[in-house]
Amino acid sequence: MMSLSTLWWGRTEAKPQFLVLKHGHKRVMVKRKSHNLMLDTACKHFPSIPRDMITLQTNQLDVCDGHYVDITPEIWDDLIDSLHVVEVTRHAEMTLPIPLLPLDALDFFIPWQSISAKDDDIVTIKVVFPSGEVQTAKVSKELRVDKLVADASHILGRCPTDIMAVWGGAILRGDLSIGSYSIKDGDTINLQASLRIAKPVIYLYSPSDIDVSVKLSLIPECSLSVIYPVVTTEDHGQRLEWNVRNHQDGSLTEHNSGLDVSYLFWEAETNAQTFPRSPASKPQPVDTFNPISSSLDDMDSIVIPVDKATVYLDKSLKVLGLHTEARTSFITYWLPSILKHEYIALRFVPQAAYERAASLTISPQPDLVTRVCMLFKGICKEHLANWANAQMQAEKDVAWVLEWGGLEVLV
């Protein structure tokens, strides 16, 4: 065994030159500088927060007792050499009622319940929105969880029943107050959105008229929310069967109702209340697919600006085997959601992985089954640096390796 010890005398340890600024999921290494210059730097790297609303915080010192504490300009120079990571947050206005500031792109306050003047009745929490955005707020312990969820849902433009509050891996009951739980200063409440597998449609093609049975079975984490033609579902909305006459022109006649349709349609929602996403859950391998824990990252996706999305999707869907009408329907269905963003990250779920999540059994068995499911999420311009590989992959001319559908990832 070899060991090496280096001893120095009379040497002054150099002061560290750099520290990390952190906001949400983004981290930036910057040079140490004065408080005012650090605010300028934070504004540059996190432009969604106005400079006069930026607060710098730390929880690294023993005196913080593990809680995030504001760093005032008066003590900045004394602390700077002791810090390695500084949290950049949006300042919560100290007015009554105390609001939680909204997501960066919005302009109004969440009018949360007024807080008591007693410090014991106030708790400072971090709220993580489905987008990953982190907001800090002082709230009353008397604030009900369903009020917190309702106000967050208003900002997100979603129904409150689609959002749940999770603390320490457990779902918080809406009829209880924040104070009913052992939530302490600095604790994090994750707001998680239930996801929807939107507009999977099933086309059938046969060279001659034929009677066909189409059975669909979902994993327990999902339940059917909309189907057409309407048939009876089983196992709490996780299984169904269509019996149709498939005509040579591709049209279908559903036997029970006599409806003539162009395709079979279904949508599903995740059972988030039963199978909540763990706040610390890791991204799935690409060859598995579970809508509850679906994610995209720099290594398994491509990132493109929205003005190139339609051309890219049409080309990709054509390679995947979708005919003109199916490609057009796919793109026009998802285009309003895509246009809400500056850039999108996307990937197509491998057919085998999709099949395990939403099994399709067709009798008589067809010669060819093509299933297409796309995951996508919006990416803002200031976060593009985190998606360098995905942007590079988008420039390559590659093919991604007939039912189609999609899922917008909000968490």
Side-chain angles (χ1 to χ4, degrees):
M1 183 177 67
M2 179 181 293
S3 63
L4 174 66
S5 299
T6 304
L7 286 73
W8 295 92
W9 286 268
R11 176 183 173 122
T12 302
E13 184 176 354
K15 293 183 178 181
Q17 285 186 290
F18 306 104
L19 59 75
V20 173
L21 293 181
K22 177 178 177 294
H23 177 66
H25 297 304
K26 184 177 180 181
R27 295 170 182 263
V28 180
M29 183 174 291
V30 300
K31 287 187 175 182
R32 296 169 187 264
K33 54 191 70 175
S34 69
H35 187 269
N36 276 335
L37 291 178
M38 191 61 74
L39 290 178
D40 291 339
T41 301
C43 185
K44 173 184 175 182
H45 291 288
F46 308 103
S48 55
I49 309 179
R51 188 187 185 283
D52 59 351
M53 299 298 291
I54 290 176
T55 296
L56 304 176
Q57 296 183 329
T58 184
N59 66 346
Q60 295 182 339
L61 305 179
D62 292 341
V63 70
C64 298
D65 196 25
H67 304 310
Y68 279 94
V69 178
D70 293 355
I71 306 172
T72 63
E74 293 80 8
I75 64 171
W76 176 261
D77 290 340
D78 297 326
L79 291 182
I80 184 68
D81 293 336
S82 304
L83 303 179
H84 301 289
V85 179
V86 171
E87 184 87 9
V88 180
T89 64
R90 183 193 285 261
H91 173 62
E93 295 292 341
M94 294 302 292
T95 58
L96 294 177
I98 296 294
L100 172 74
L101 293 176
L103 296 180
D104 293 337
L106 302 175
D107 300 323
F108 51 88
F109 298 123
I110 305 179
W112 278 359
Q113 179 176 327
S114 299
I115 64 173
S116 167
K118 297 180 180 179
D119 290 343
D120 290 345
D121 295 332
I122 302 169
V123 62
T124 302
I125 59 174
K126 288 186 179 292
V127 180
V128 181
F129 283 78
S131 64
E133 198 72 34
V134 180
Q135 301 291 341
T136 302
K138 296 179 183 292
V139 298
S140 169
K141 292 181 180 179
E142 298 177 358
L143 175 69
R144 280 174 52 124
V145 173
D146 56 6
K147 173 62 173 171
L148 182 152
V149 170
D151 291 332
S153 301
H154 176 70
I155 280 184
L156 296 170
R158 295 176 67 96
C159 176
T161 57
D162 292 341
I163 303 293
M164 60 183 176
V166 178
W167 170 70
I171 300 172
L172 303 183
R173 285 179 47 180
D175 59 342
L176 297 181
S177 67
I178 295 294
S180 300
Y181 298 90
S182 301
I183 297 175
K184 306 183 296 296
D185 283 340
D187 281 3
T188 296
I189 294 179
N190 289 270
L191 299 178
Q192 299 182 4
S194 60
L195 302 179
R196 182 169 57 104
I197 303 176
K199 203 183 180 182
V201 297
I202 303 171
Y203 297 92
L204 302 176
Y205 298 99
S206 172
S208 60
D209 288 7
I210 187 174
D211 289 323
V212 180
S213 164
V214 179
K215 296 179 180 179
L216 176 67
S217 178
L218 305 181
I219 56 176
E221 288 86 345
C222 298
S223 294
L224 293 159
S225 56
V226 183
I227 54 176
Y228 186 78
V230 177
V231 294
T232 302
T233 61
E234 300 177 1
D235 292 345
H236 306 289
Q238 289 169 346
R239 290 198 301 119
L240 64 74
E241 179 180 7
W242 283 293
N243 288 284
V244 299
R245 183 73 172 176
N246 185 193
H247 304 289
Q248 294 185 52
D249 63 358
S251 64
L252 310 171
T253 301
E254 201 275 317
H255 285 318
N256 291 330
S257 63
L259 286 172
D260 293 321
V261 296
S262 298
Y263 48 75
L264 306 175
F265 167 83
W266 65 277
E267 286 191 347
E269 292 182 347
T270 55
N271 299 320
Q273 297 291 335
T274 307
F275 298 90
R277 174 199 288 260
S278 168
S281 61
K282 296 180 180 180
Q284 293 175 283
V286 175
D287 59 351
T288 64
F289 174 59
N290 185 327
I292 290 266
S293 52
S294 296
S295 64
L296 299 109
D297 62 43
D298 185 39
M299 301 309 296
D300 67 12
S301 312
I302 65 100
V303 169
I304 53 176
V306 295
D307 59 1
K308 295 183 178 180
T310 54
V311 173
Y312 184 92
L313 286 175
D314 185 77
K315 181 179 180 180
S316 299
L317 295 172
K318 188 174 183 179
V319 170
L320 289 168
L322 270 64
H323 53 71
T324 301
E325 193 280 329
R327 299 198 306 273
T328 302
S329 294
F330 186 106
I331 292 170
T332 55
Y333 180 85
W334 286 110
L335 192 56
S337 297
I338 290 172
L339 291 177
K340 295 177 181 178
H341 308 290
E342 297 176 271
Y343 296 81
I344 58 167
L346 69 88
R347 68 178 171 92
F348 291 99
V349 178
Q351 184 163 318
Y354 185 35
E355 173 65 24
R356 287 191 288 270
S359 176
L360 202 59
T361 304
I362 301 174
S363 180
Q365 186 173 344
D367 298 315
L368 176 66
V369 176
T370 300
R371 307 186 72 183
V372 177
C373 180
M374 179 184 73
L375 302 182
F376 79 95
K377 67 181 292 184
I379 304 294
C380 55
K381 188 174 183 179
E382 55 265 30
H383 292 167
L384 282 179
N386 301 326
W387 297 83
N389 182 70
Q391 294 177 76
M392 182 174 62
Q393 293 300 321
E395 301 299 324
K396 296 182 179 180
D397 188 14
V398 295
W400 293 82
V401 178
L402 167 66
E403 172 194 12
W404 62 258
L407 177 69
E408 181 174 8
V409 178
L410 302 175
V411 294

